[in-house]
Amino acid sequence: MKHHAQAGQAFAIGLLFGVGLLLSGMSNPQKVIGFLDLAGAWDPSLALVMGGAIAVGLPLFRIAESRSQRQLPSWSGAPIHLPGKSGITPRLVLGSVLFGIGWGIAGICPGPGLVLVGSLQWPGLVFVLAMVAGMLLFRPLDKVLSR
């Protein structure tokens, strides 16, 4: 029963996130590309969306961090798993650069990609298939590069 409640909460939060992406325009690749086009017809409206997301998310991350340090579960009762703090590595920089290039070319990142798939739009389906292929290739490629 607890698992079903957590799944229901995760679904509700994911649905809220998806509706937020749709309402803010972040699921529209042209809107994102307009934001990233600093030398052209720059559309700064996405900066307000990002600022709003940070304003909402930052206090919640602080609360989660505090609960994690006191070894308290989340409000849903599930354990909190926060990523550890680490330094900037070449691997992190390479991944960030690849993510930024992909985002700049397609105007889609993972969350909006899933929203586009849910709304049956081909760019989202192509993006998500490419994302899944990248995820499947990561482990074997990482093993080769780690040698």
Side-chain angles (χ1 to χ4, degrees):
M1 188 65 182
K2 187 177 176 182
H3 178 71
H4 292 297
Q6 289 175 347
Q9 289 171 346
F11 178 78
I13 291 169
L15 186 63
L16 180 64
F17 181 64
V19 169
L21 290 173
L22 283 170
L23 292 177
S24 67
M26 288 201 65
S27 61
N28 179 351
Q30 294 309 313
K31 182 105 174 148
V32 173
I33 289 171
F35 173 71
L36 298 173
D37 187 9
L38 297 175
W42 184 54
D43 178 3
S45 62
L46 244 42
L48 295 174
V49 173
M50 292 178 189
I54 290 170
V56 170
L58 190 59
L60 295 175
F61 273 108
R62 294 287 180 222
I63 291 169
E65 190 175 55
S66 172
R67 291 184 68 86
S68 176
Q69 288 171 350
R70 291 182 289 150
Q71 298 183 344
L72 296 173
S74 69
W75 290 324
S76 70
I80 298 173
H81 301 286
L82 295 176
K85 294 179 181 173
S86 60
I88 297 173
T89 63
R91 186 178 174 174
L92 176 65
V93 171
L94 177 63
S96 301
V97 167
L98 289 174
F99 178 87
I101 290 171
W103 196 37
I105 290 172
I108 303 171
C109 64
L114 293 173
V115 170
L116 291 173
V117 168
S119 59
L120 303 175
Q121 295 188 32
W122 280 105
L125 182 61
V126 170
F127 176 85
V128 169
L129 287 174
M131 181 176 70
V132 169
M135 293 166 69
L136 293 173
L137 287 173
F138 171 74
R139 286 196 191 274
L141 185 62
D142 189 48
K143 283 182 183 176
V144 170
L145 294 176
S146 297
R147 292 182 189 165

